[in-house]
Amino acid sequence: MTKQEALYTYTLRLGDNALIQGHRLSEWCSRGPILEEDLALTNLALDQIGRAQAFLKYAAHIEGQGKTEDDLAYKRGEREFYNNLITELPIGDFAYTIAKQLLISAFEFYQFSELSKSSDETIAGISAKALKEVRYHLVHAQDWCYRLGKGTPVSHKKLQQAFRELWMYTGELFEMDEIDQLLMQDGTAIDLMSLRPDWLNLVGSILADSTIVLPADTYMQTGSRKGIHTEYLGHLLSEVQYLQRAYPDATW
Amino acid sequence: MVNTAPYSKEDILFILAGIVDPEIPVVTIQEMGMLRDVILMDDLCEVIITPTYTGCPAMGIIEHDIVELLIQNGVQNVKVTTSYSPAWTTDWMNDGTKEKLKNFGIAAPIHSSCTNWLNPKSVIVSCPRCNSTHTTMISQFGSTACKALYKCEDCKEPFDYFKCH
Ligand SMILES: [Zn+2]
């Protein structure tokens, strides 16, 4: 594997996480529990899709075959996507989305704090920008964890259940392979494993303040680094990519 | 093709200073700090802009406005490049710009060094209509990515706060 190939896949991962998470959040549009939340969730979606655009554009540039960010978003198959499985899981109910948001935003907070110091200027630049937005996402998820966790017995139960169901998807966030190892040599990539203690502390303290029990580590799902996904990604892509599949190269 | 020679970098910046933010038409992209640089080459004028938020939907319109305006002024070959670094900050707005926002009904961002992002409710935001500091945050997310939603407890009016970024 050349450095260029590694960097291409590494950048795709960053772009795919944002694209798939952004699309899931956009599914809340017009379905939020209250108007303010509808706006909040779609604002978060917009940040993610903007980030996806920036990273995929860079990935296309690294690949050097004249593709655009749209080509990468709309014309790759399921097995060519590298987003973490947690991002593609369906939105579920509001508590489930909030639990997902907390786990992902807390991870992204540490991820982009570190990546903003990457030796790759483009990755560092986009990451510094993303970090500012992620802070708002984290505070949003944190506030709702408090409210749902300490709210009614029903909201508490739903939030607790959501964290239990999602926990097995958190191991993958910190997974690394030969791509990470290669790119860590010159400071392009970051050591994801080293972020886990801080992430666990932060999530643990927010959950404790929300009277939610931190789930125990058990079996962890894996696969996305190799392009192996849950059954949900194919369905999601069939919607995202419908237009370009039905009318190739359509523009408007 | 007309080359860019008749114009200096300052001339181009002066022309572009007239472009307003499509979402807040009382301030220009220059006042917002989104217009970063102009690079003149023999037959190409490159304009560097930076988004307020990565997903800012106004960027496409701004890019279009820049190309259109320069073509009207006889600069044919224009390239607009989006740069993310240094990351845009509300600290680039000067007091005059903040005053314009306020007069438009949007509370201006306080300096980033004065905020605690983990506790956004600790920030005191004044009502742009009656100047009361007796205000409450309704939501961190408002009508556009850059604004939060507040209400004034004195005049009872809702208003937008331009989030510190
Ligand atoms: Zn007022």
Side-chain angles (χ1 to χ4, degrees), chain A residues 50-111:
Chain A
R51 190 196 307 165
Q53 200 176 15
F55 277 126
L56 293 180
K57 188 173 186 176
Y58 184 46
H61 170 78
I62 296 161
E63 193 193 22
Q65 293 181 11
K67 286 186 195 161
T68 66
E69 59 272 34
D70 284 351
D71 292 328
L72 291 177
Y74 297 128
K75 295 176 184 173
R76 277 180 300 148
E78 186 190 349
R79 291 292 305 269
E80 297 164 287
F81 273 78
Y82 299 104
N83 57 284
N84 291 314
L85 303 179
I86 192 170
T87 62
E88 70 204 39
L89 300 175
I91 55 174
D93 61 16
F94 185 64
Y96 190 84
T97 284
I98 290 301
K100 214 170 149 183
Q101 277 302 113
L102 183 80
L103 296 169
I104 293 174
S105 305
F107 169 72
E108 289 183 340
F109 172 67
Y110 293 110
Q111 181 190 29

Side-chain angles (χ1 to χ4, degrees), chain B residues 1 6 13 22 27-28 31 35 57 61 65 68 72-73 77 83 89 93-94 116 118 132 140 155 158 162:
Chain B
M1 191 176 297
L13 283 169
V27 291
T28 68
E31 291 169 322
L35 180 59
I61 301 167
D65 288 350
E68 185 105 315
Q72 278 171 18
N73 281 275
N77 210 1
S83 164
T89 166
M93 287 183 207
N94 64 26
N116 171 6
L118 269 172
S132 165
Q140 280 266 63
C155 74
F162 204 111

Side-chain angles (χ1 to χ4, degrees), chain A residues 15-29 41-52 87-88 91 101 104 108 236 240:
Chain A
D16 289 348
N17 277 323
L19 180 69
I20 304 304
Q21 173 68 354
H23 180 77
R24 280 301 187 211
L25 284 166
S26 78
E27 292 176 12
W28 278 102
C29 188
L41 293 168
T42 42
N43 263 293
L44 304 182
L46 196 60
D47 286 346
Q48 293 277 10
I49 288 170
R51 190 196 307 165
T87 62
E88 70 204 39
I91 55 174
Q101 277 302 113
I104 293 174
E108 289 183 340
L236 183 152
V240 171

Side-chain angles (χ1 to χ4, degrees), chain B residues 95-121:
Chain B
D95 290 346
T97 307
K98 291 182 181 179
E99 190 62 25
K100 286 186 188 175
L101 287 178
K102 184 180 176 246
N103 293 336
F104 190 58
I106 301 171
I110 64 165
H111 197 272
S112 62
S113 59
C114 308
T115 58
N116 171 6
W117 65 271
L118 269 172
N119 186 10
K121 284 175 185 159

Side-chain angles (χ1 to χ4, degrees), chain B residues 67-78:
Chain B
V67 175
E68 185 105 315
L69 187 62
L70 289 179
I71 286 175
Q72 278 171 18
N73 281 275
V75 184
Q76 297 295 325
N77 210 1
V78 181

